Amino acid sequence: MKYLIIGGVAGGATTAARLRRLDEDSQIILFERGAYISYANCGLPYYIGGTIAERDDLFVQTPESFYDRFHIEVRINSEVLSIDRKEKSIEVRDLTGGRTYSESYDKLVLSPGAEPVKPPIPGIESEGIFTLRSVPDTDRIHEYIAEKKPERAVIVGAGFIGLEMAENLHRRGIFVTIVEMANQVMNILDYEMAAEVHQHLKLKNVEFYLEDAVSAFKPDRNKKLSVHLRSGKVLPADMVILSIGVKPDTTLAQKAGLEIGESGGIKVDSHLLTSDRDIYALGDAIEFPNPISGHPMKIPLAGPANKQGRIVADNIVRGNSRTYKGTIGTGIAKVFDITVASTGLPEKLLKGIGIPHTSVITHSGSHAGYYPGAIPMTIKILFNPEDGRLLGGQVVGYEGVDKRIDLIASIIGMGGNVSDLAEIEHAYAPPFSSAKDPVNISGMVAENVIKGTSLQASWTEVFNPEKKKDILLLDVRTEEEHALGSVESALNIPVDDLRRRIGELPRDRKIVLFCSVGLRAYVAERILRQHGFSNVANLSGGYKTYSISTQ
Amino acid sequence: MKYLIIGGVAGGATTAARLRRLDEDSQIILFERGAYISYANCGLPYYIGGTIAERDDLFVQTPESFYDRFHIEVRINSEVLSIDRKEKSIEVRDLTGGRTYSESYDKLVLSPGAEPVKPPIPGIESEGIFTLRSVPDTDRIHEYIAEKKPERAVIVGAGFIGLEMAENLHRRGIFVTIVEMANQVMNILDYEMAAEVHQHLKLKNVEFYLEDAVSAFKPDRNKKLSVHLRSGKVLPADMVILSIGVKPDTTLAQKAGLEIGESGGIKVDSHLLTSDRDIYALGDAIEFPNPISGHPMKIPLAGPANKQGRIVADNIVRGNSRTYKGTIGTGIAKVFDITVASTGLPEKLLKGIGIPHTSVITHSGSHAGYYPGAIPMTIKILFNPEDGRLLGGQVVGYEGVDKRIDLIASIIGMGGNVSDLAEIEHAYAPPFSSAKDPVNISGMVAENVIKGTSLQASWTEVFNPEKKKDILLLDVRTEEEHALGSVESALNIPVDDLRRRIGELPRDRKIVLFCSVGLRAYVAERILRQHGFSNVANLSGGYKTYSISTQ
Ligand SMILES: Cc1cc2nc3c(=O)[nH]c(=O)nc-3n(C[C@H](O)[C@H](O)[C@H](O)COP(=O)(O)OP(=O)(O)OC[C@H]3O[C@@H](n4cnc5c(N)ncnc54)[C@H](O)[C@@H]3O)c2cc1C
Ligand SMILES: Cc1cc2nc3c(=O)[nH]c(=O)nc-3n(C[C@H](O)[C@H](O)[C@H](O)COP(=O)(O)OP(=O)(O)OC[C@H]3O[C@@H](n4cnc5c(N)ncnc54)[C@H](O)[C@@H]3O)c2cc1C
Ligand SMILES: CC(C)(COP(=O)(O)OP(=O)(O)OC[C@H]1O[C@@H](n2cnc3c(N)ncnc32)[C@H](O)[C@@H]1OP(=O)(O)O)[C@@H](O)C(=O)NCCC(=O)NCCS
Ligand SMILES: CC(C)(COP(=O)(O)OP(=O)(O)OC[C@H]1O[C@@H](n2cnc3c(N)ncnc32)[C@H](O)[C@@H]1OP(=O)(O)O)[C@@H](O)C(=O)NCCC(=O)NCCS
């Protein structure tokens, strides 16, 4: 058999390696347009920032090592121009020699990845404006910084790569300004979770403009750039990173008449087969039904690309015996000292596609409070209010964020519900967790919501002057805490005085209780409910989430 | 309703708090024999070691704060002497006044915990010999160290608490010697995993004697102790910690005629009800069918006690509506710089009870190798060789061990198999993981074993001179690596030369391949298999596990 693979990085190289392990006798040729294969895309920002000191560390395999180990023929600088599906062959241009030739296949694998989005903004081709996808992109940015010693950078787009670049440029001593069209960074988070990132960026002296966009880039005589925003603001910049997002590279697939899906990725079935029985596709270039929503989604991440590669190889050699379950979308980024992570679907997306959902927000220590070094983290989970099925999770904090998002992802992946989260039998010793892990707590709070034991109110409800009119806000923290700052117009009765002072509360108004994170207010809510107050709710995430979100 | 609770720490206090949240009107009285409730047992070693500086930090609630918040009446220094099940009352002795009285109940909860095992060794009551369970125990040890400034401590028993105490006494400048009856520390690990702990203890200059036991303690004139071992060895000691294990405190239950289970814990049903419909029991005192083996097991850990507390309260107030699924036994300990964790059942236990199982051992980096600070960790998983159901996991390493054991535990908890482990969609960015997380890799290797794509050999097989006779050992590492040390009599053909040199290999002998961790040997194994060698296997865990285990 003869297998051709297009694209030599995450998806392509993984497929090739597994193919060889399963099929020693076949001919395997890997085509890569660029000069490098099998490199760590995800490490590129850290090489620019200097955390990864050696450029060589970015390469996992070279064409030579790949041949020695796997007898895989790697053709770099080789662009595949087209696919002849009838003849089962591809046309290749050797980018060094310029020669074009064709190569036949029994099975073809497409892992061409994605391209950074570059909107037609005036001046976008000016010197000093970069996108970051490949090793040459990285070399360009690295050299530019070394040579030009830029003092100010503007980053356009505040997703994972944008924020990683913010940290890494800052690390190189560059003052960073972020411009983002949405009203928040990290669109895969809900607003109140992103608000914690906003706060941290301010602390780190990173400037950002939200709900704004670049209208033009204007280089001046000294090769300095002015970045003009729609709002009228003009930002000076010595360099610009465009990190607005990526779009799947479907050029080849489209030309070959392969089916493209509704979200713009190559359409594949559960065996990762395209609409042609001899062509598989994977990685950033495809779309696949999201297991939670059922809607096709593009999730350009390395983990899924690697896992898909193994499935494609198995299906080629073992006759479509393995199905892909889909990607729920688990992502994480270190943003200076904090870690920001998300899995499944955020509230705004669930709302958009009409999936019944509700949420709880909790704050917990990264480990037992009595053991030194415990730092707060915030967890938001989304779940079906009827059966508790877990739909999404978001975690922001300093330590142990990766563990908690992985646990939430593993329960979502198993089709579990909030009780499964509450019941995870985690490993507990004081340096690592608490007797109830933060994800257990999050599941427990959600269970209480489902059972009607507790009702949650959102900070948006309390912040909205219209809605707020009808609500009595009850701060159950101590008088000292209340005096240090509270929600405007809130009444203060400390939880431990509540039973005694219950007569002070009106029985004809909705009462929203809050404390700092939600625990004492929950205890207070239970007291009120059992004293006949039925229209009460606990402010989700407490004063902490409220104050961060409304700053 | 009137609820009485016996035991005021992990299980008892949690039950009480949830009871009040669910039932504001009931009378709740908590009886505690000691002077303290609601304290952090798990923090006690760290207070002794000085990591937790303030004694006050050990207390989560006091009787006063518990009353103020929950209107729960706490009676400390109050020992429950007996239960009159017919009258539905208990007899209590006030240990300060000496008065004895009785108190009636509608529902009774037993969370009396466990007692440290103290075998009848001659001299065991000598001064300077301690067990560690409670705050007074802790105070005694703390004071003894402050006053006597001991230089040498002997720790008897190398379980979680023994090893935590080893670290914490060492931190106080005390030379520590451990005596353990088994041939390894941490009995919940299999030998080759414990061997990594042995290595680390040596590095830290902690002395240990395995397969040995104390025959007598002999105090001399200067109040120094001699610890006599069965082997004849005599260890000098200024203090001794007994951490041989705990036995459930079933005194009350037994006296009251409640059913005791076959492993010696109070027997409860899935609602955590004892053999009396009005008496619930939880925590260290009970046994419960292990979800993996079906056999009753005692698992004296704080996480389960806390989770059970919530279930007991729900069942009392909401009419036995909630079932307990059982504890798989997830434990973790920091041992100096390493972390040691286990979940589910180890190989030796699976073997003992005849559950079909096999295992794989892998070594992975704590995060992507190209990002600084990645440190190796070892993962062993146990699974059913037919359907891949996950039965257990063990992880030893420096960083991210807690995350991996929790992920394995969450998959076991959901009844998942090794493919579920391979498919966990973890969060990946270079500081946190690799594109395939170590637990994914572990699941993938196991999948290959199940499919017959790869076969594993155990280090015991290769180490056993009898079995070894018939085996050709093939080291597929580089010549340089081989020269630095290898398994005796192993042939060396580097994996990248294997295709060329395949003629050198005999076709009539079993070949066990190895590299440093198992990855290259797997690639080599696949080459051999596809060249017609069928009697080949990959040394599980590679030379690394072999050399650590045979040291
Ligand atoms: C800066 C950066 C940071 C990232 N960080 C993370 C992270 O932390 N975590 C994470 O999960 N993901 C991260 N990603 C995303 C991750 O790298 C991608 O999801 C993954 O590489 C996708 O794999 P792929 O095989 O689909 O595409 P790629 O890895 O991009 O490989 C596609 C290859 O195909 C080649 N190609 C395309 N068309 C042709 C053609 N016609 N002929 C020949 N060759 C062709 C391209 O040159 C390219 O090399 C990051 C990406 C970048 C750019
Ligand atoms: C040093 C140490 C370290 C530990 N570290 C960890 C760890 O890192 N992780 C982990 O998960 N677990 C750990 N544990 C175990 C954990 O603390 C226990 O599993 C947990 O406390 C069990 O809860 P329980 O309610 O069953 O018993 P306990 O918490 O022990 O409470 C039982 C209470 O009942 C009282 N009592 C008993 N009989 C009577 C009576 N007749 N009348 C009145 N009162 C009575 C006792 O005085 C006692 O205070 C550790 C334990 C110790 C001792
Ligand atoms: C490196 C690369 C070629 C991968 O090849 P790979 O061989 O599939 O991946 P790994 O080196 O992780 O090895 C995994 C394989 O070894 C096996 N393995 C790993 N450790 C093992 C061990 N200790 N014992 C036995 N087998 C082991 C796994 O089962 C798996 O084999 P399988 O797929 O046949 O089951 C490819 O992933 C790549 O190019 N990566 C870099 C690009 C990239 O991913 N970029 C984005 C992230 S920055
Ligand atoms: C402290 C102690 C009394 C526990 O009481 P607890 O109130 O059940 O536990 P927590 O303080 O963690 O609070 C958990 C409760 O608050 C709720 N909660 C937590 N955070 C919340 C938030 N942000 N919003 C709403 N509710 C929240 C949880 O749902 C749970 O309530 P529920 O059980 O009614 O669902 C008891 O666990 C104890 O004594 N612990 C110390 C002893 C011990 O465990 N030792 C061994 C370990 S070292």
Side-chain angles (χ1 to χ4, degrees):
Chain A
M1 296 290 267
K2 184 169 171 188
Y3 308 133
L4 304 187
I5 298 170
I6 303 174
V9 195
T14 306
T15 307
R18 172 83 173 165
L19 267 179
R20 175 58 77 220
R21 285 191 293 265
L22 294 185
D23 185 353
E24 176 72 10
D25 300 323
S26 60
Q27 184 181 5
I28 306 175
I29 312 176
L30 188 103
F31 297 89
E32 169 54 55
R33 177 164 59 194
Y36 305 96
I37 63 156
S38 188
Y39 61 85
N41 328 50
C42 318
L44 303 179
Y46 296 96
Y47 171 64
I48 293 170
T51 298
I52 299 176
E54 296 300 327
R55 186 173 177 280
D56 269 357
D57 286 345
L58 296 172
F59 301 98
V60 185
Q61 293 279 356
T62 63
E64 297 70 38
S65 70
F66 220 46
Y67 182 79
D68 291 344
R69 174 106 357 129
F70 294 109
H71 272 205
I72 289 167
E73 192 183 334
V74 176
R75 301 195 188 152
I76 55 169
N77 299 313
S78 298
E79 180 167 21
V80 178
L81 301 175
S82 62
I83 305 168
D84 186 334
R85 289 168 51 194
K86 247 171 80 193
E87 290 297 319
K88 293 181 70 173
S89 72
I90 61 172
E91 199 194 0
V92 186
R93 174 178 295 142
D94 176 348
L95 297 175
T96 43
R99 180 179 78 101
T100 296
Y101 62 96
S102 84
E103 195 72 58
S104 68
Y105 63 81
D106 291 307
K107 299 285 174 190
L108 178 66
V109 177
L110 301 180
S111 192
E115 300 260 316
V117 171
K118 246 177 129 176
I121 300 168
I124 199 163
E125 299 299 341
S126 313
E127 201 192 318
I129 302 183
F130 302 94
T131 56
L132 175 61
R133 176 82 194 174
S134 63
V135 175
D137 293 343
T138 308
D139 290 339
R140 271 191 290 273
I141 297 172
H142 204 269
E143 277 161 31
Y144 190 87
I145 294 174
E147 276 175 27
K148 302 285 165 72
K149 313 220 178 324
E151 287 169 10
R152 303 183 78 100
V154 169
I155 293 177
V156 187
F160 285 109
I161 297 178
L163 290 188
E164 284 183 354
M165 282 306 295
E167 177 183 350
N168 278 293
L169 293 180
H170 184 274
R171 205 171 177 274
R172 297 290 303 262
I174 301 170
F175 180 81
V176 174
T177 305
I178 299 173
V179 180
E180 165 62 53
M181 196 124 67
N183 67 343
Q184 62 165 85
V185 302
M186 289 267 176
N187 221 4
I188 45 94
L189 296 180
D190 289 316
Y191 183 83
E192 63 277 357
M193 301 298 286
E196 300 202 13
V197 187
H198 298 165
Q199 207 185 34
H200 193 67
L201 289 174
K202 283 180 200 160
L203 194 77
K204 292 294 168 179
N205 200 24
V206 170
E207 193 177 54
F208 52 95
Y209 295 95
L210 302 174
E211 298 185 87
D212 210 342
V214 178
S215 54
F217 297 102
K218 297 194 183 153
D220 70 10
R221 313 101 272 176
N222 319 319
K223 300 226 168 174
K224 293 247 175 208
L225 286 160
S226 310
V227 181
H228 293 252
L229 305 189
R230 286 204 198 142
S231 60
K233 185 133 212 102
V234 179
L235 305 170
D238 302 311
M239 69 184 292
V240 170
I241 305 282
L242 295 173
S243 50
I244 306 167
V246 295
K247 57 169 191 299
D249 190 338
T250 55
T251 332
L252 271 178
Q254 260 176 309
K255 256 172 69 179
L258 295 175
E259 208 173 324
I260 304 298
E262 53 187 276
S263 81
I266 301 174
K267 192 165 178 170
V268 293
D269 68 9
S270 64
H271 298 118
L272 300 174
L273 259 178
T274 65
S275 53
D276 184 312
R277 305 289 311 161
D278 296 311
I279 307 179
Y280 294 79
L282 73 158
D284 288 3
I286 66 165
E287 63 173 48
F288 199 88
N290 179 288
I292 300 163
S293 68
H295 294 300
M297 228 169 146
K298 303 180 302 266
I299 298 191
L301 289 172
N306 270 262
K307 283 166 190 163
Q308 291 160 9
R310 201 154 168 270
I311 293 175
V312 166
D314 281 23
N315 284 339
I316 290 176
V317 179
R318 294 175 170 169
N320 298 331
S321 55
R322 196 184 260 266
T323 55
Y324 185 59
K325 295 198 190 124
T327 315
I328 56 175
T330 308
I332 192 165
K334 171 172 154 8
V335 181
F336 295 87
D337 307 340
I338 63 172
T339 302
V340 184
S342 161
T343 184
L345 301 179
E347 186 160 6
K348 55 186 145 201
L349 250 174
L350 291 167
K351 200 177 283 174
I353 49 186
I355 295 181
H357 67 277
T358 187
S359 71
V360 300
I361 299 170
T362 49
H363 304 275
S364 302
S366 50
H367 60 250
Y370 58 83
Y371 188 89
I375 326 179
M377 70 169 71
T378 308
I379 301 183
K380 176 175 185 172
I381 57 169
L382 291 307
F383 53 97
N384 180 302
E386 296 295 325
D387 60 14
R389 186 175 163 220
L390 207 53
L391 306 169
Q394 297 160 42
V395 188
V396 177
Y398 289 79
E399 261 186 49
V401 169
D402 55 334
K403 171 160 88 173
R404 275 57 183 223
I405 206 72
D406 282 4
L407 286 171
I408 297 171
S410 81
I411 298 295
I412 297 180
M414 296 292 286
N417 61 30
V418 296
S419 296
D420 296 315
L421 198 64
E423 287 168 9
I424 288 179
E425 193 186 318
H426 69 297
Y428 163 50
F432 307 104
S433 182
S434 298
K436 304 174 198 105
D437 189 77
V439 299
N440 294 147
I441 293 279
S442 168
M444 286 160 55
V445 176
E447 274 186 340
N448 290 335
V449 169
I450 290 171
K451 284 237 181 252
T453 308
S454 169
L455 222 125
Q456 303 264 308
S458 154
W459 65 272
T460 50
E461 201 174 320
V462 173
F463 192 51
N464 181 324
E466 262 316 297
K467 290 190 182 166
K468 190 175 162 180
K469 273 198 333 249
D470 309 320
I471 295 175
L472 174 80
L473 276 162
L474 182 61
D475 183 349
V476 301
R477 296 174 302 163
T478 62
E479 282 163 22
E480 293 73 25
E481 287 172 280
H482 180 73
L484 283 173
S486 187
V487 183
E488 213 192 286
S489 81
L491 182 70
N492 178 223
I493 303 181
V495 57
D496 292 349
D497 297 344
L498 189 60
R499 289 183 180 89
R500 233 178 354 98
R501 293 177 56 185
I502 209 156
E504 297 173 30
L505 293 173
R507 291 192 169 260
D508 54 353
R509 267 174 87 186
K510 172 163 187 176
I511 301 177
V512 172
L513 301 110
F514 66 93
C515 59
S516 61
V517 299
L519 173 51
R520 282 174 288 173
Y522 163 58
V523 173
E525 180 195 0
R526 291 300 306 157
I527 295 173
L528 290 190
R529 278 191 189 282
Q530 298 188 69
H531 281 88
F533 293 78
S534 57
N535 198 5
V536 288
N538 183 359
L539 182 62
S540 195
Y543 183 61
K544 187 164 177 186
T545 293
Y546 177 88
S547 57
I548 289 174
S549 307
T550 58
Q551 242 167 34
Chain B
M1 296 291 264
K2 184 170 172 188
Y3 309 132
L4 304 187
I5 299 170
I6 303 174
V9 194
T14 307
T15 307
R18 172 83 174 167
L19 267 179
R20 175 56 77 222
R21 285 191 292 266
L22 294 185
D23 185 353
E24 176 71 10
D25 300 322
S26 60
Q27 185 182 3
I28 306 174
I29 310 176
L30 190 104
F31 298 89
E32 169 54 53
R33 177 165 58 194
Y36 305 96
I37 62 157
S38 186
Y39 61 85
N41 328 49
C42 318
L44 303 179
Y46 296 95
Y47 170 65
I48 292 170
T51 298
I52 297 176
E54 296 300 329
R55 185 174 178 279
D56 269 356
D57 286 347
L58 297 171
F59 301 98
V60 186
Q61 293 280 355
T62 63
E64 297 70 38
S65 69
F66 220 46
Y67 183 79
D68 291 344
R69 174 104 0 127
F70 295 109
H71 270 204
I72 289 167
E73 194 183 331
V74 176
R75 301 196 189 151
I76 54 170
N77 300 312
S78 299
E79 181 169 20
V80 178
L81 300 175
S82 62
I83 305 168
D84 186 335
R85 288 166 53 193
K86 245 172 80 193
E87 290 297 319
K88 292 183 68 173
S89 72
I90 61 173
E91 199 193 359
V92 186
R93 174 178 296 141
D94 175 348
L95 298 175
T96 44
R99 180 179 77 100
T100 296
Y101 61 96
S102 85
E103 194 72 58
S104 69
Y105 63 80
D106 292 306
K107 300 284 173 190
L108 177 65
V109 177
L110 301 181
S111 192
E115 299 260 318
V117 171
K118 247 179 130 176
I121 300 169
I124 200 164
E125 299 300 339
S126 313
E127 201 194 318
I129 302 183
F130 302 94
T131 55
L132 175 61
R133 175 80 195 177
S134 63
V135 175
D137 292 344
T138 308
D139 290 339
R140 272 191 288 274
I141 298 172
H142 204 267
E143 277 160 33
Y144 190 87
I145 295 174
E147 274 174 28
K148 302 282 164 75
K149 313 223 177 328
E151 286 170 11
R152 302 182 79 100
V154 169
I155 293 177
V156 187
F160 285 108
I161 296 178
L163 290 187
E164 284 182 355
M165 282 308 295
E167 177 183 352
N168 278 293
L169 293 181
H170 185 275
R171 203 170 180 274
R172 297 288 302 261
I174 301 169
F175 180 82
V176 174
T177 305
I178 299 173
V179 179
E180 165 61 52
M181 195 124 67
N183 67 344
Q184 61 166 85
V185 302
M186 288 267 175
N187 222 1
I188 45 95
L189 297 179
D190 288 316
Y191 182 83
E192 62 277 358
M193 301 298 285
E196 301 203 12
V197 186
H198 297 167
Q199 207 186 35
H200 193 66
L201 289 174
K202 283 181 200 159
L203 194 78
K204 292 295 167 179
N205 200 24
V206 170
E207 195 178 52
F208 52 94
Y209 295 94
L210 302 174
E211 298 183 87
D212 210 342
V214 178
S215 54
F217 297 102
K218 298 195 183 152
D220 70 9
R221 317 104 267 178
N222 318 319
K223 301 227 170 176
K224 293 245 175 210
L225 287 160
S226 308
V227 182
H228 293 249
L229 306 188
R230 288 206 195 139
S231 60
K233 189 136 208 99
V234 178
L235 305 170
D238 303 310
M239 68 184 292
V240 171
I241 304 283
L242 296 173
S243 49
I244 307 167
V246 296
K247 59 168 192 297
D249 189 337
T250 54
T251 331
L252 270 180
Q254 262 177 305
K255 255 172 67 180
L258 295 175
E259 208 174 324
I260 304 297
E262 53 187 276
S263 80
I266 302 174
K267 193 164 177 170
V268 293
D269 68 9
S270 63
H271 298 118
L272 300 174
L273 259 177
T274 65
S275 52
D276 184 314
R277 306 289 310 158
D278 296 312
I279 306 179
Y280 295 79
L282 73 160
D284 287 3
I286 66 165
E287 62 174 48
F288 199 88
N290 179 288
I292 299 163
S293 69
H295 294 300
M297 227 170 148
K298 302 178 303 266
I299 298 190
L301 289 171
N306 270 262
K307 283 165 190 161
Q308 289 161 9
R310 203 156 167 268
I311 293 175
V312 167
D314 281 25
N315 284 339
I316 290 177
V317 178
R318 293 175 171 167
N320 297 332
S321 55
R322 198 185 258 266
T323 55
Y324 185 59
K325 296 197 190 124
T327 314
I328 56 176
T330 308
I332 192 164
K334 172 173 157 5
V335 181
F336 295 88
D337 307 340
I338 64 171
T339 302
V340 184
S342 160
T343 184
L345 301 179
E347 187 161 5
K348 56 186 142 199
L349 250 174
L350 290 167
K351 201 176 283 173
I353 49 186
I355 295 182
H357 66 278
T358 187
S359 70
V360 299
I361 299 170
T362 49
H363 304 276
S364 302
S366 50
H367 60 250
Y370 58 82
Y371 187 90
I375 326 179
M377 70 169 73
T378 308
I379 301 182
K380 175 175 185 173
I381 58 170
L382 291 307
F383 53 96
N384 180 302
E386 297 294 326
D387 61 13
R389 185 174 165 222
L390 207 54
L391 305 170
Q394 296 160 42
V395 187
V396 177
Y398 290 79
E399 261 186 47
V401 169
D402 56 332
K403 171 160 89 174
R404 275 55 181 225
I405 205 72
D406 281 5
L407 286 171
I408 297 171
S410 82
I411 297 294
I412 297 179
M414 296 292 287
N417 60 30
V418 297
S419 296
D420 295 315
L421 198 64
E423 288 169 9
I424 288 179
E425 192 186 320
H426 70 296
Y428 164 49
F432 307 104
S433 182
S434 297
K436 304 174 199 105
D437 189 77
V439 297
N440 295 147
I441 293 279
S442 169
M444 287 159 56
V445 176
E447 275 186 339
N448 290 334
V449 169
I450 291 172
K451 284 235 182 253
T453 308
S454 170
L455 222 124
Q456 303 264 308
S458 153
W459 65 271
T460 50
E461 201 175 322
V462 172
F463 193 52
N464 181 323
E466 262 315 296
K467 291 191 180 167
K468 192 175 163 180
K469 274 197 332 247
D470 309 320
I471 294 175
L472 174 80
L473 276 163
L474 183 61
D475 182 350
V476 301
R477 297 175 302 162
T478 62
E479 284 163 20
E480 293 75 25
E481 288 172 280
H482 180 71
L484 283 173
S486 188
V487 184
E488 212 192 286
S489 82
L491 182 70
N492 177 223
I493 304 181
V495 56
D496 292 349
D497 298 342
L498 189 60
R499 290 183 180 87
R500 236 180 350 99
R501 294 177 55 185
I502 210 156
E504 298 174 27
L505 293 173
R507 291 192 170 260
D508 54 354
R509 266 175 87 188
K510 173 163 187 175
I511 301 177
V512 172
L513 301 110
F514 67 92
C515 58
S516 61
V517 299
L519 173 51
R520 282 173 290 173
Y522 164 58
V523 173
E525 180 194 1
R526 291 301 307 157
I527 295 172
L528 290 190
R529 279 191 188 280
Q530 298 188 69
H531 281 87
F533 293 79
S534 56
N535 198 4
V536 288
N538 182 0
L539 182 61
S540 197
Y543 183 62
K544 188 164 176 184
T545 292
Y546 177 88
S547 57
I548 289 174
S549 307
T550 58
Q551 244 167 30

